[in-house]
């Protein structure tokens, strides 16, 4: 609805990938900047949540692209530290099975959420983005992750 040619989608995808690589190679810097690993994990969820809400109200192509890159780059990079933190607590003889089970459950949950979000987006993309942002922020704020769980 913003009138952007499909020719630009590859550039946005490339920017998203570069931004994700930047965050994935800067975990230590951002953990130090934010004071702890827990703060990094919370802020790396809060920022995409806020960006989703902003996107819901944006009519600017530039702002929308920046929010997409921010959400994707920061949000998608969270998988790596989560895997690292989980590996510290899973016994090596069970690690493959446990991680595979977690991955399967994540995929099933993602599939269910995508169906629900698709129905919501068909109703209103604006409200879908706002609701998604609120859910992301709520999840981040209700996180029970403790700093000692992330230390290793």
């Amino acid at each position: 609805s913003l009138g952007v040619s499909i020719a630009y989608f590859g550039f946005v995808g490339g920017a998203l990938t570069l931004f994700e690589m930047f965050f994935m190679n800067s975990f230590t810097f951002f953990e130090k900047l934010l004071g702890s690993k827990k703060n990094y994990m919370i802020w790396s969820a809060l920022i995409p949540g806020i960006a989703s809400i902003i996107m819901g109200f944006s009519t600017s192509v530039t702002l929308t692209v920046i929010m997409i890159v921010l959400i994707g780059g920061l949000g998608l990079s969270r998988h790596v530290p989560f895997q690292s933190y989980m590996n510290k607590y899973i016994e090596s003889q069970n690690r493959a099975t446990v991680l595979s089970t977690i991955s399967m459950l994540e995929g099933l949950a993602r599939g269910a959420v995508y169906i629900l979000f698709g129905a919501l987006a068909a109703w209103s993309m604006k409200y879908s983005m706002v609701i998604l942002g609120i859910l992301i922020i709520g999840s981040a704020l209700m996180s029970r992750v403790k700093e000692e769980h992330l230390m290793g």
Side-chain angles (χ1 to χ4, degrees):
S1 69
L2 294 175
V4 178
S5 169
I6 196 165
Y8 293 105
F9 284 41
F11 292 109
V12 173
L16 191 148
T17 301
L18 288 174
F19 206 59
E20 183 180 358
M21 287 171 31
F22 167 74
F23 275 103
M24 290 175 77
N25 288 309
S26 305
F27 289 133
T28 304
F29 169 78
F30 286 107
E31 286 170 350
K32 287 180 182 174
L33 178 71
L34 296 170
S36 70
K37 292 175 187 259
K38 179 181 178 180
N39 286 344
Y40 173 80
M41 295 310 290
I42 290 172
W43 280 102
S44 66
L46 287 176
I47 292 170
I50 293 166
S52 292
I53 293 171
I54 291 169
M55 250 177 43
F57 292 107
S58 176
T59 57
S60 164
V61 173
T62 304
L63 182 59
T64 300
V65 168
I66 291 169
M67 294 300 108
I68 289 170
V69 170
L70 181 64
I71 291 167
L74 189 56
L76 294 175
S77 68
R78 293 169 46 85
H79 183 70
V80 173
F82 269 124
Q83 287 284 21
S84 173
Y85 303 150
M86 284 191 297
N87 282 333
K88 293 175 187 173
Y89 293 99
I90 301 171
E91 296 175 9
S92 61
Q93 68 266 21
N94 298 328
R95 191 168 293 141
T97 304
V98 171
L99 292 178
S100 176
T101 301
I102 290 170
S103 177
M104 178 191 66
L105 292 173
E106 284 176 344
L108 290 171
R110 189 177 299 116
V113 168
Y114 284 177
I115 291 169
L116 292 173
F117 188 72
L120 190 60
W123 168 66
S124 170
M125 184 57 89
K126 174 183 177 176
Y127 291 123
S128 297
M129 296 308 298
V130 172
I131 291 168
L132 181 63
I134 290 168
L135 290 173
I136 291 169
I137 291 168
S139 296
L141 295 176
M142 291 188 310
S143 172
R144 298 183 324 171
V145 174
K146 295 180 171 67
E147 185 68 23
E148 56 269 15
H149 294 154
L150 306 175
M151 302 307 283

